[in-house]
Amino acid sequence: MPSSVPSFAELLGTCERSAVHLELRDSYAATDRFEAWRRGERIDWEDRASWWHPYDQLIADSVVRGVVIRRARIVSEPVTAYIRWEHYVTRANVTAGEQVRWLPRRRATDIPLPGNDFWLFDDHLLRVHHFSGDGQVVEDEITQDPATVKLCSTAFEAVWERAVPHHLFHV
């Protein structure tokens, strides 16, 4: 079934100031890259062509345009294998220009949080991710509902304030 939700590239392409992403899950659907990492394969960070993807370029291009891109992840401790892998590959996000922070779930108890991961563009357009129990993307939803946007924006900022910058968070 085709989606009427604009692609992430389209949404980020029209973004003017900020894009923030909150991730709440301890694992997502396994990818080939994750499975390779689990087998012990590692990225040759010196060979940028081997790991630089269109997503990384999209982020880099947006940052050059002046868009501030921040990602916060709430994680359980001890972290899952998936989160250890995400921490490892976050080097690509940071290289592309994202600011990334990590918040241990035990430090988020008193923060009102939405039930789903999301991207918030320019503080008014929300792309909500809906996942199955095993971490497969079921669908994405777009909303500009002021109450929902406010909840997500407030939650993100509270998480961001408490979270640990990527380079200081050890898994």
Side-chain angles (χ1 to χ4, degrees):
M1 178 165 100
S3 174
S4 61
V5 173
S7 72
F8 176 75
E10 291 169 320
L11 292 170
L12 192 57
T14 61
C15 190
E16 296 177 357
R17 295 176 316 282
S18 67
V20 301
H21 186 37
L22 184 61
E23 296 180 10
L24 303 164
R25 298 178 56 93
D26 286 319
S27 65
Y28 295 85
T31 64
D32 291 343
R33 291 173 59 204
F34 172 62
E35 293 302 334
W37 177 84
R38 287 182 68 165
R39 290 190 303 272
E41 295 177 28
R42 296 299 179 257
I43 296 169
D44 178 359
W45 292 110
E46 299 302 314
D47 180 13
R48 183 170 157 153
S50 70
W51 57 265
W52 190 259
H53 296 295
Y55 173 84
D56 303 311
Q57 191 61 53
L58 177 63
I59 296 299
D61 292 345
S62 298
V63 169
V64 166
R65 285 191 298 109
V67 178
V68 176
I69 302 174
R70 297 180 295 156
R71 176 187 304 256
R73 293 178 171 135
I74 299 177
V75 296
S76 300
E77 291 180 309
V79 300
T80 63
Y82 193 94
I83 294 300
R84 284 195 311 277
W85 171 74
E86 269 195 336
H87 189 271
Y88 173 71
V89 297
T90 294
R91 180 172 176 176
N93 300 74
V94 171
T95 300
E98 280 190 36
Q99 300 171 38
V100 181
R101 292 187 182 181
W102 303 80
L103 182 64
R105 192 172 308 281
R106 63 180 153 61
R107 294 189 56 215
T109 302
D110 61 341
I111 299 174
L113 295 169
N116 299 294
D117 291 14
F118 65 83
W119 277 94
L120 177 59
F121 301 93
D122 288 334
D123 299 314
H124 68 83
L125 185 99
L126 197 61
R127 181 180 175 133
V128 179
H129 303 299
H130 298 285
F131 294 95
S132 64
D134 64 358
Q136 296 285 339
V137 174
V138 174
E139 70 176 326
D140 286 331
E141 168 190 4
I142 298 291
T143 184
Q144 291 181 291
D145 173 67
T148 306
V149 167
K150 182 178 181 183
L151 168 70
C152 291
S153 176
T154 301
F156 182 87
E157 294 304 331
V159 168
W160 188 258
E161 183 177 310
R162 289 187 194 178
V164 178
H166 174 71
H167 70 282
L168 297 176
F169 187 76
H170 303 286
V171 295

